[in-house]
Amino acid sequence: MKCLGNGLSRRNFMTVGAFGGLCLSDVLRMRSVLGDQKNYDFIPAKAESIIHIFLPGGLAQQESFDPKPFSPLEYRGEMGSIKTNTGEIISQTLPQLAKCADKFTIIRSMSHGEAAHERGTHNMFTGYKPSPALIYPSFGSVVSHEYGPRNNLPPYICIPNQPNEFAGSGYLSSSYGPFSLGADPAKAGFKVQDLNLAGGVDAERFARRQDALSTVNQYFSSRHNADSVTAMDSFYERAYSLISSEKARDAFDIEKEDAAMRDRYGRNQAGQRLLLSRRLVEAGARLVTMTYGGWDMHTNITNGIRNSMPALDQGLAVLLNDLDSRGLLDTTLVMVSTEFGRTPKINSDAGRDHWPKVFSLMLAGGGIKRGYVHGASDPTAAEPDLDPVSPEDLATTIYHLLGIVADKELMSPGDRPIEIVDGGKVIKQLLA
């Protein structure tokens, strides 16, 4: 058995009595490094949590972060462009973000080869190309696997629900899957499903049920080595922690947020989902995936953008400023992603079709450089012109910021070792 410097074995190190001066987060990070397959260099984490804002359908780069004001009208579209407070150009649809561009980075050279929604989404949630042989775990499930819960909150939360099948645990145990709210925080009377005790069940009765269930679980676990049994036991344990912790439950209660702050974010889907995301990471959630809108605009893209973008622009700008004012932006990585971009040329229905060759995303906080634009597309936003970024590169960089070694091997069914990411590189230009 390998020893750690002073002769303490890895197994003994992980016992409670051996924590010494290390906090739990240090121990969890060491656990992610001291895998069973091989030795890994220690990566100090800069990001303690992530807010992943996913825009399903394929956000047009031209109408968001990469306008082409000097290209012909049939390429640039009807939307104009504006200057940010850093002197860069973004779409006129993002006036609030333009005022705080010194807080985020834009990648204008994302690229992959998958033009179907499902396959593109798989790329962007896992860092892997789709495979018929294996389902890969999402960012949230890997983070859940490596670090576990914090402050009695689920490590991986989806607002309002798991957005797609690739946002799950893949080949990992389903116990690392997301906790979904099951409701939209923008709706009146918003309540998270299964968060409170059932009617007529007090704390004492709840404790008796917990003890009884623990006995049943031990019986089944001793006789069945099945993921479903282990996962269910883990889900119940986390549910008990959540239900029994008033502080954890309060994080989900958006009604406890100051009314003026709710107004600042916007009393709409984008604003309230973003606000709840902030509440959850502030309380201890490790990764929150928030989904908003439908960006698959094959027809009338100008009206589609005008309808959907203002709420996102407002809420996202407030989120960045809010996190920064609370001292959370440096330790919270904010990522705005989509599965691919849109075609360079407007189609006959005044829309844009699927285009994975080049598209844009936004990153902020958590060790990311501020006020920076990485890469470039060509004059019509058709292909990368400078520093192309693959999903593998993006995933490797995200894990690096989290203190997770991207080529660490996890065990898939059949005890087959699989690297968390295969072949990506850290994009050092993005790092602060």
Side-chain angles (χ1 to χ4, degrees):
M1 183 177 294
K2 295 180 181 178
C3 293
L4 306 177
N6 62 358
L8 180 65
S9 73
R10 179 164 59 84
R11 181 178 300 160
N12 291 337
F13 175 83
M14 293 309 297
T15 63
V16 175
F19 283 1
L22 294 175
C23 65
L24 178 58
S25 61
D26 293 325
V27 174
L28 290 169
R29 286 170 187 161
M30 289 297 292
R31 185 191 71 181
S32 76
V33 175
L34 298 171
D36 290 328
Q37 293 82 30
K38 52 187 176 182
N39 292 325
Y40 296 95
D41 294 329
F42 178 70
I43 298 177
K46 295 183 178 180
E48 296 179 2
S49 47
I50 294 182
I51 297 175
H52 177 198
I53 300 148
F54 182 65
L55 307 178
L59 175 67
Q61 64 273 24
Q62 303 89 334
E63 278 77 26
S64 58
F65 297 111
D66 192 13
K68 298 297 179 182
F70 305 112
S71 62
L73 178 62
E74 62 269 28
Y75 289 90
R76 71 173 182 266
E78 298 178 19
M79 310 301 296
S81 59
I82 54 175
K83 274 196 173 184
T84 70
N85 65 351
T86 62
E88 293 290 340
I89 297 291
I90 60 175
S91 173
Q92 71 177 88
T93 63
L94 300 171
Q96 301 307 314
L97 283 173
K99 297 175 186 177
C100 60
D102 55 338
K103 289 181 168 62
F104 61 80
T105 274
I106 298 169
I107 298 178
R108 286 180 171 160
S109 53
M110 282 300 306
S111 182
H112 62 70
E114 305 292 348
H117 288 293
E118 294 80 6
R119 296 179 68 84
T121 300
H122 184 284
N123 279 357
M124 298 304 292
F125 268 83
T126 69
Y128 266 92
K129 295 178 181 178
S131 166
L134 194 63
I135 301 175
Y136 295 94
S138 63
F139 294 138
S141 291
V142 171
V143 170
S144 178
H145 178 273
E146 294 299 291
Y147 287 141
R150 178 171 54 192
N151 296 348
N152 293 317
L153 281 165
Y156 175 27
I157 301 172
C158 287
I159 302 175
N161 291 300
Q162 181 175 324
N164 55 72
E165 61 185 303
F166 309 117
S169 57
Y171 61 73
L172 295 176
S173 165
S174 54
S175 63
Y176 302 112
F179 177 86
S180 295
L181 302 191
D184 191 338
K187 291 185 177 180
F190 162 72
K191 296 290 183 184
V192 178
Q193 62 183 2
D194 304 326
L195 193 57
N196 298 303
L197 293 176
V201 178
D202 58 17
E204 184 178 349
R205 188 177 178 187
F206 175 68
R208 289 199 303 270
R209 288 184 175 184
Q210 185 176 0
D211 289 341
L213 183 61
S214 177
T215 301
V216 172
N217 284 344
Q218 289 176 10
Y219 173 84
F220 277 101
S221 297
S222 65
R223 287 160 174 77
H224 304 280
N225 184 23
D227 172 59
S228 58
V229 175
T230 304
M232 187 60 70
D233 188 38
S234 175
F235 275 126
Y236 276 124
E237 286 180 8
R238 294 180 183 179
Y240 288 142
S241 297
L242 181 56
I243 292 172
S244 60
S245 170
E246 183 178 357
K247 186 175 180 180
R249 293 198 312 271
D250 283 352
F252 291 91
D253 190 352
I254 202 168
E255 296 292 340
K256 294 192 175 181
E257 189 68 40
D258 179 71
M261 182 62 77
R262 294 191 69 180
D263 292 340
R264 281 184 60 200
Y265 273 86
R267 300 274 185 159
N268 49 56
Q269 285 187 353
Q272 298 306 290
R273 292 176 187 182
L274 288 164
L275 174 56
L276 187 56
S277 298
R278 188 269 288 162
R279 287 182 62 84
L280 291 171
V281 298
E282 187 176 33
R286 296 188 183 277
L287 191 147
V288 176
T289 290
M290 188 224 90
T291 312
Y292 168 69
W295 305 87
D296 193 24
M297 299 177 181
H298 291 275
T299 62
N300 203 353
I301 192 170
T302 299
N303 281 349
I305 292 289
R306 283 175 174 162
N307 289 334
S308 297
M309 193 67 87
L312 178 65
D313 176 52
Q314 175 186 344
L316 186 52
V318 173
L319 174 69
L320 296 179
N321 287 315
D322 191 12
L323 288 170
D324 208 19
S325 69
R326 293 168 186 268
L328 293 172
L329 189 57
D330 286 340
T331 57
T332 303
L333 176 62
V334 179
M335 176 171 68
V336 182
S337 78
T338 190
E339 64 259 47
F340 44 55
R342 313 302 295 186
T343 48
K345 194 172 183 179
I346 299 286
N347 64 26
S348 59
D349 293 317
R352 297 185 191 269
D353 302 315
H354 303 178
W355 195 258
K357 290 184 179 180
V358 71
F359 57 106
S360 300
L361 60 77
M362 194 195 91
L363 297 171
I368 288 291
K369 193 178 294 184
R370 297 186 178 208
Y372 174 62
V373 174
H374 182 79
S377 64
D378 66 11
T380 59
E383 294 183 355
D385 197 42
L386 181 68
D387 296 329
V389 175
S390 69
E392 294 87 352
D393 296 334
L394 176 67
T396 298
T397 304
I398 290 170
Y399 287 127
H400 175 84
L401 291 168
L402 287 165
I404 296 173
V405 180
D407 63 354
K408 175 184 175 181
E409 292 172 343
L410 305 181
M411 301 308 293
S412 68
D415 292 329
R416 175 188 170 196
I418 304 290
E419 292 181 341
I420 295 175
V421 183
D422 183 12
K425 64 180 182 297
V426 174
I427 310 167
K428 294 182 178 179
Q429 300 97 311
L430 296 178
L431 307 183

